[in-house]
Amino acid sequence: MPKTEMYMAAGNTHKGIRRTSNQDAIFMDDSQGIWIVADGMGGHNAGEIAANIICKYLPTEIKQPSQTVTNAILKVHNQIQTASRQHTLYAGMGSTMILAVQQQQHLQIYWSGDCRAYLYTAGKLRLVSKDHSLIQKLKDDNIIDDQAAAKHPQRHLVTSCLGGSLAQPVIDNITLILGLNDLLLLCSDGLYNELNLQDMQAIISEKKASETRVNELIKQANQLGGKDNISAILIAHR
């Protein structure tokens, strides 16, 4: 892990205005260069348990010597499944997640499910991750377009997560280098399902503190419906 802090982050999570609990969780450690957004799934608050297992144990696993980040993620996946077998109320629990890890000057992004990463560079915000979801597969196969996807009755169905019933989750990764004025946004679907790309770009492009911009993203998502838990982390150069 890096010994110098190149990046600094601001983040927040909110239950939204329709949900009674928050099953999202976030983790931020600028000194270790680890940032996580997790979006839990499951009844009886089991999703909250799964998301918190990720944020509690994944940073520790990542810091173990001679272990890849992918193997660290798989260990936590197995830990969630073990917990779900041991407690009846947690049966089948899981959580989607997205993780940014600093390696030297690079940021490595890993994800499973539909939490997302957006890169803000040269005044434009663009999606750099690709959802593991039924909707994404239908779009990839040219069965539906973006307009149909927004109204599809199974638009919230994910095809991978940590925990759940899969023996091994799908884990994708990309590597980025942030320019001095670039920003990386990690978020749960509660944010981007309420705010479109232009809305998010308008807020992120404001010359304000990162914490202010994160809170404004969450505030506007709530004003537009707040139907789900909302989490966001904004990473910038120090």
Side-chain angles (χ1 to χ4, degrees), residues 51-222:
N52 279 284
I53 287 175
I54 291 172
C55 288
K56 181 176 181 180
Y57 294 105
L58 184 53
T60 301
E61 291 294 341
I62 291 171
K63 289 182 280 188
Q64 296 301 314
S66 303
Q67 175 167 252
T68 67
V69 175
T70 297
N71 283 339
I73 294 170
L74 290 174
K75 280 191 175 182
V76 173
H77 165 71
N78 292 331
Q79 190 170 358
I80 295 171
Q81 290 191 325
T82 297
S84 72
R85 289 192 293 267
Q86 292 174 342
H87 302 278
T88 303
L89 292 178
Y90 302 161
M93 71 178 176
S95 178
T96 62
M97 57 78 64
I98 193 156
L99 158 75
V101 181
Q102 183 184 339
Q103 296 286 0
Q104 306 301 326
Q105 72 270 33
H106 300 84
L107 286 175
Q108 294 184 330
I109 317 299
Y110 296 80
W111 70 94
S112 185
D114 61 353
C115 289
R116 290 182 176 179
Y118 292 85
L119 177 64
Y120 179 78
T121 183
K124 299 291 184 181
L125 185 69
R126 62 183 176 90
L127 178 64
V128 292
S129 60
K130 187 174 185 179
D131 297 347
H132 302 137
S133 67
L134 174 63
I135 289 299
Q136 187 62 56
K137 186 177 188 309
L138 293 175
K139 289 167 66 175
D140 289 345
D141 294 340
N142 294 317
I143 295 173
I144 62 173
D145 58 16
D146 288 341
Q147 187 174 2
K151 300 178 181 178
H152 197 282
Q154 293 179 301
R155 61 188 177 275
H156 300 299
L157 182 63
V158 296
T159 54
S160 185
C161 68
L162 304 195
S165 60
L166 292 178
Q168 184 164 319
V170 178
I171 302 168
D172 281 338
N173 71 89
I174 57 173
T175 301
L176 300 173
I177 298 178
L178 292 189
L180 289 176
N181 297 313
D182 294 348
L183 298 165
L184 179 67
L185 172 68
L186 308 179
C187 66
S188 62
D189 64 343
L191 181 69
Y192 66 77
N193 281 335
E194 300 292 359
L195 293 176
N196 61 35
L197 189 68
Q198 291 72 30
D199 294 332
M200 291 191 287
Q201 178 177 296
I203 295 169
I204 290 173
S205 64
E206 294 177 351
K207 301 300 182 184
K208 296 180 179 179
S210 291
E211 182 178 3
T212 301
R213 286 180 277 190
V214 165
N215 290 334
E216 185 63 26
L217 287 167
I218 293 173
K219 177 183 176 181
Q220 288 206 21
N222 276 324

